[in-house]
Amino acid sequence: MSQKNDEAGASAPSTKTTYTLKYPFTTADGKQVTEILLRRARAKDILAFEEELKRGGSDTGVTLAFLASVNGMSLDDLGEIDAEDMIEVGAMVVDFLPERFRGAREE
């Protein structure tokens, strides 16, 4: 795994990070995905997150919904991510959510 942090200060909270996939995948339209972007959530990302929560989505489903929104991908395409990459990037997602949502899946 490789991470590129676009934040200058090491102690400052990250606002954007790129996760390099160990196992790149190809989307339905033939695009090779080699990296996943993680950045602070925007309103549209929170809407996707909340929609999946309302459907009773699993932690994985909620994480995929958030990542799909951040990366401008469909859930079907992002569903092709390798499980090992999903686990690693999934653990990083919480750092990019507003405080209010960091424990939302446990409620």
Side-chain angles (χ1 to χ4, degrees), residues 12-30:
S14 269
T15 58
K16 188 164 128 178
T17 296
T18 302
Y19 173 86
T20 301
L21 297 171
K22 290 180 182 176
Y23 305 97
F25 63 94
T26 304
T27 63
D29 65 357

Side-chain angles (χ1 to χ4, degrees), residues 2-74:
S2 173
Q3 278 180 244
K4 293 183 257 180
N5 188 337
D6 294 333
E7 194 65 33
S11 63
S14 269
T15 58
K16 188 164 128 178
T17 296
T18 302
Y19 173 86
T20 301
L21 297 171
K22 290 180 182 176
Y23 305 97
F25 63 94
T26 304
T27 63
D29 65 357
K31 179 184 172 204
Q32 174 103 14
V33 179
T34 60
E35 298 179 329
I36 296 292
L37 173 67
L38 290 140
R39 61 159 166 71
R40 284 188 47 82
R42 296 182 182 146
K44 67 180 181 172
D45 309 322
I46 295 302
L47 287 172
F49 182 93
E50 288 178 328
E51 188 60 36
E52 188 62 26
L53 278 175
K54 285 180 195 171
R55 283 193 290 241
S58 65
D59 285 353
T60 301
V62 171
T63 299
L64 284 173
F66 176 78
L67 290 171
S69 178
V70 168
N71 286 275
M73 299 173 82
S74 72

